[in-house]
Amino acid sequence: MTPDDLRVAEPTASPAADATAGGPALFRSIRIRDLEIRNRVWVPPLCQYSVTERDGVPHDWHLVHLGSMAAGGAGLVIAEATAVNPEGRISDYDTGIWNDEQAEAWARITRFIRSQGAASGIQLAHAGRKASVWPETVDRRGSQPLEEGGWSTVAPSAIAFDGLRAPVALDESGILAVIEDFRAAARRAVDAGFDVVEVHAAHGYLVHQFLSPLSNLRDDRWGGDLEGRARLLLEVVRAVRAEIGERMPLFVRFSATDWAPGGWDEEQTSTVAGWAAEAGADFFDISTGGLVRDVRIPVGPAYQAAHAEFVRGRAGVSVSAVGRITTPEQAERLVASGAADAVMFGKAMMRDPHLALRAANALHADAAPWPPQYLRARPEANDGEF
């Protein structure tokens, strides 16, 4: 079944509980562990490449970027891929959470998001062999030279991402250090006031590199069969769960397919999602691709949603859908039909940070989360015009 075939229906049973019933499915709250999220209009991690001081510390841009989406009615706002150590940054313009200064800066942002009635999340990330590249915001491409501030990269195997510098294969101690970096970052995320922690296991970054047989050629306990290739993710999930406790939700972002023969696919994703749930993960953010270049991806409206639906059905876990979902009606069909438990609006949310308010109006939702400062702008106060 493709996303275009989905019909509005009552949501099917989900591991995450509906806290309310009635009205559009997209605007029913959802409870995950001890966190109640006011609706299913969520913001995925959106890299900004805006840390001009190159110290990993988020600043005013990040406050306004994330805060505007919270004020605009989103239920959950997840901060961009945030490195667990300096070498894990995609670029040196990325945010980090490997020291206390960074955590304190994030705390200012989470306080504002919470003040707007939204939940805040952070995606903990390590870019692996795709680290140390020039950011999108500068007019250069490829690996940042070592003499210009770049650094050596790491991966499960010494296989370069096409067009980038070759990485060094991590040894046992290096892998264990990465797990500890995720653990320490999770502790700082709690201290910074985040409501959700997400582990980045998608888009060709380090954890995904371990998962895929195209990038992991190891023959030790961190490679080989599916259990070996999934070991890093599961150990990271266990370490993060141990730090955040039992009350806080833990998400994992997967690329459900590499779109390449012999690579990672939705069957393996479903199996490992089940294992990750047993290890302490609660919710799975389903994207695709990113491991290899020059693959054919059938991009179109909601083109990744069918993968989310597959993982949800096969693994029996809660999922969000993301990718070219641009209208309230698309999102409502996905949630109401049971294909997904929530929808991540990425570029659409950057174009319109108040997308959630617009969607509530379009779907005639009573639970429209208008900030008090904006109440006089509500459509019902302006002849129904948004």
Side-chain angles (χ1 to χ4, degrees), residues 230-241:
R231 191 180 307 278
L232 175 62
L233 171 62
L234 300 180
E235 289 300 322
V236 166
V237 167
R238 293 184 185 105
V240 171
R241 173 54 68 199

Side-chain angles (χ1 to χ4, degrees), residues 108-193:
R108 175 186 177 218
I109 295 169
T110 64
R111 284 194 297 270
F112 182 81
I113 292 173
R114 184 175 297 108
S115 77
Q116 301 306 301
S120 63
I122 186 169
Q123 185 183 69
L124 304 183
H126 191 301
R129 68 179 186 174
K130 293 176 74 175
S132 188
V133 300
W134 293 107
E136 294 177 1
T137 49
V138 303
D139 192 24
R140 298 180 70 175
R141 294 293 177 264
S143 294
Q144 188 173 355
L146 300 179
E147 62 272 18
E148 296 185 60
W151 57 90
S152 297
T153 60
V154 297
S157 302
I159 304 170
F161 184 78
D162 187 29
L164 300 184
R165 186 165 48 243
V168 174
L170 283 163
D171 59 17
E172 177 82 10
S173 63
I175 293 172
L176 296 178
V178 166
I179 296 168
E180 288 306 306
D181 287 339
F182 272 94
R183 183 194 301 273
R187 168 46 49 195
R188 289 193 172 93
V190 173
D191 294 342

